[in-house]
């Protein structure tokens, strides 16, 4: 594995710490500002009250007249974002969700406690998907060897299972949190109202490999290992009318105060992370800040602390000079296993 190095010839954003080699396809304009920072600036000019009215009117068509029917599906984990999503879905939009959760098997004790508490404080039904551990291990070995990723199965499962349940149970609305491509690199405008798509999932989330691509390309995996990671057919999706919307397009998304809010209101628990100053994201996964983060640094030349620092710069809580010092400090810390 070769560590990516950012040379002086590569364009760098003058506001945040990202450069044009960002794996999600960031661009930098003639003024030296990256697309992620430009789209983030929309948050300061969008009328979020109007955006709330828009989504509230949209979900009216999905509210059931019966208390025992589900209005939507919400994918959840033991992370703080899941708490905030459910807060918006239940308290602001007044929807009755069916929760679905893919078991990624990298669970921390605090993550298990968080998802158990989430079920209780939001008084919601939940479905878990626990795929055969033997198959998960085989997939992790294959994707680690061929794609330098131990996370493929997690993203594949977390994005396929909710859609499978939506089709099977004829629940057409799936509600996600923030769109990573918008939040990090400004792939779309918030006003585009982009929805979850098969193409985005494959090209960006899954690094270009669907489950069947692993089956046909690598002979170590069998049909029995990968079938549960398949995204439903377009015809089945169309017949049910499944739509996956992102709340980050309708509510001003800012993870730090959102996490602090759910800690206070819903007793969400967090822990200090290795290799970053930010202690809220993905506390449910023991690999997220260690091996996964190290692989990210080896492949792309930056780690999760850069994502956190860029986010804090954009929200005005950290200046670039201090952010650069913080990143250098944490990226020189050896990962702990």
């Amino acid at each position: 594995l070769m560590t990516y190095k950012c040379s002086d010839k590569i364009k760098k954003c003058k506001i945040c710490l990202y450069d044009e080699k960002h794996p999600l396809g960031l661009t930098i304009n003639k003024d030296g500002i990256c697309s992620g920072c430009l789209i983030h600036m929309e948050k300061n000019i969008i009328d979020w009250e109007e955006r709330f009215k828009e989504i509230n009117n949209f979900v009216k068509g999905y509210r059931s007249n019966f208390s025992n029917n589900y209005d939507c599906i919400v994918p959840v984990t033991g992370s703080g974002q899941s708490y905030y999503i459910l807060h918006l879905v239940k308290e602001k939009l007044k929807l009755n969700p069916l929760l679905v959760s893919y078991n990624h098997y990298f669970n921390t004790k605090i993550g298990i406690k968080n998802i158990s508490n989430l079920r209780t404080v939001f008084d919601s039904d939940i479905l878990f998907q626990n795929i055969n551990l033997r198959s998960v291990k085989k997939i992790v070995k294959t994707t680690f060897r061929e794609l330098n990723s131990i996370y493929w199965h997690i993203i594949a499962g977390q994005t396929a299972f909710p859609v499978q349940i939506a089709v099977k149970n004829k629940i057409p609305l799936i509600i996600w949190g923030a769109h990573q491509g918008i939040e990090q690199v400004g792939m779309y405008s918030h006003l585009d109202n982009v929805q979850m798509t098969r193409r985005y999932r494959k090209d960006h989330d899954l690094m270009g490999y669907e489950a069947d691509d692993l089956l046909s390309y690598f002979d170590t995996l069998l049909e029995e290992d990968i079938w549960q990671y398949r995204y439903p057919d377009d015809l089945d999706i169309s017949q049910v009318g499944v739509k996956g919307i992102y709340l980050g397009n309708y509510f001003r998304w800012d993870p730090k105060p959102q996490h602090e809010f759910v800690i206070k209101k819903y007793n969400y628990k967090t822990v200090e992370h290795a290799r970053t100053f930010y202690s809220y994201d993905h506390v449910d996964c023991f690999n997220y800040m260690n091996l996964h983060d190290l692989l990210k640094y080896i492949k792309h030349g930056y780690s999760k602390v850069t994502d956190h620092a860029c986010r804090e710069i954009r929200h005005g809580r950290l200046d670039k000079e201090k952010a650069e010092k913080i990143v250098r400090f944490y990226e020189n810390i050896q990962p702990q296993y």
Side-chain angles (χ1 to χ4, degrees):
L1 296 177
M2 299 296 292
T3 301
Y4 160 77
K5 297 294 184 181
C6 181
S7 72
D8 292 335
K9 294 181 180 180
I10 296 173
K11 293 181 181 179
K12 305 172 187 178
C13 180
K14 71 177 185 182
I15 294 178
C16 73
L17 306 181
Y18 288 142
D19 61 60
E20 62 182 348
K21 289 295 184 179
H22 194 289
L24 289 182
L26 175 147
T27 61
I28 296 177
N29 69 9
K30 63 180 181 179
D31 298 317
I33 302 174
C34 77
S35 50
C37 287
L38 287 171
I39 293 301
H40 179 85
M41 293 174 187
E42 288 184 344
K43 294 184 179 184
N44 298 324
I45 59 175
I46 288 175
D47 186 334
W48 293 107
E49 290 186 5
E50 286 300 316
R51 296 297 284 164
F52 171 72
K53 292 178 182 178
E54 183 176 337
I55 189 175
N56 200 38
N57 287 331
F58 173 79
V59 301
K60 283 181 180 179
Y62 295 91
R63 292 194 184 104
S64 173
N65 294 322
F66 303 96
S67 60
N68 61 340
N69 285 358
Y70 302 115
D71 302 324
C72 62
I73 286 174
V74 176
V76 298
T77 66
S79 72
Q81 177 171 266
S82 295
Y83 277 69
Y84 194 71
I85 292 169
L86 279 175
H87 169 75
L88 295 178
V89 167
K90 297 204 72 172
E91 301 300 322
K92 299 296 184 181
L93 298 177
K94 306 300 181 182
L95 296 171
N96 178 33
L98 171 63
L99 313 185
V100 298
S101 183
Y102 169 81
N103 183 2
H104 52 62
Y105 290 110
F106 295 157
N107 302 301
T108 62
K109 290 182 180 179
I110 199 166
I112 294 171
K113 289 180 179 179
N114 276 336
I115 200 165
S116 178
N117 179 60
L118 178 144
R119 297 164 62 186
T120 301
V121 296
F122 289 104
D123 190 25
S124 295
D125 296 338
I126 188 168
L127 294 177
F128 288 97
Q129 185 182 44
N130 296 289
I131 290 178
N132 185 314
L133 186 56
R134 177 189 57 80
S135 294
V136 172
K137 288 181 177 179
K138 289 176 66 178
I139 291 172
V140 171
K141 288 179 180 178
T142 296
T143 56
F144 182 38
R145 181 180 67 248
E146 304 293 343
L147 306 176
N148 298 329
S149 173
I150 60 174
Y151 246 62
W152 183 95
H153 85 97
I154 297 178
I155 304 301
Q158 288 178 343
T159 52
F161 183 50
V163 185
Q164 293 166 358
I165 295 300
V167 169
K168 181 179 179 180
N169 294 277
K170 295 180 171 55
I171 306 172
L173 180 61
I174 305 174
I175 298 182
W176 305 87
H179 188 290
Q180 183 187 25
I182 295 176
E183 293 298 306
Q184 284 197 4
V185 300
M187 191 174 292
Y188 307 99
S189 166
H190 295 90
L191 302 178
D192 289 336
N193 295 346
V194 295
Q195 298 181 6
M196 171 71 171
T197 65
R198 178 195 302 277
R199 180 174 179 178
Y200 180 86
R201 174 180 181 266
K202 179 180 179 180
D203 291 349
H204 299 287
D205 292 341
L206 303 185
M207 295 166 283
Y209 288 87
E210 288 276 16
D212 284 288
D213 296 322
L214 298 180
L215 179 64
S216 61
Y217 195 77
F218 309 121
D219 60 5
T220 56
L221 296 174
L222 304 174
E223 167 71 16
E224 65 191 45
D225 298 317
I226 59 91
W227 68 272
Q228 293 187 85
Y229 293 94
R230 285 194 180 108
Y231 204 74
D233 291 337
D234 289 338
L235 178 60
D236 294 332
I237 291 174
S238 178
Q239 287 178 339
V240 177
V242 175
K243 296 181 183 296
I245 65 171
Y246 293 92
L247 293 179
N249 290 325
Y250 303 96
F251 297 89
R252 194 183 196 282
W253 214 256
D254 187 349
K256 185 176 185 293
Q258 290 168 0
H259 276 107
E260 292 167 352
F261 170 79
V262 299
I263 288 171
K264 183 177 180 180
K265 184 173 178 64
Y266 296 113
N267 199 30
Y268 168 70
K269 301 296 184 183
T270 189
V271 292
E272 292 297 318
H273 284 320
R275 295 172 57 80
T276 187
F277 62 95
Y278 194 82
S279 61
Y280 298 142
D281 284 348
H282 300 283
V283 300
D284 57 313
C285 180
F286 64 76
N287 264 326
Y288 193 77
M289 284 301 162
N290 288 310
L291 181 57
H292 174 70
D293 189 52
L294 180 60
L295 290 172
K296 179 174 182 170
Y297 183 74
I298 291 171
K299 289 193 295 182
H300 302 301
Y302 74 100
S303 63
K304 193 61 179 175
V305 66
T306 300
D307 292 328
H308 292 154
C310 287
R311 192 163 66 195
E312 293 303 292
I313 289 172
R314 290 171 178 175
H315 284 287
R317 293 187 288 264
L318 197 61
D319 64 61
K320 187 173 184 178
E321 182 179 357
K322 186 174 182 180
E324 289 172 335
K325 292 179 180 178
I326 290 172
V327 169
R328 284 196 297 269
F329 171 78
Y330 281 106
E331 286 186 343
N332 286 328
I333 296 176
Q334 294 299 313
Q336 302 297 314
Y337 300 106

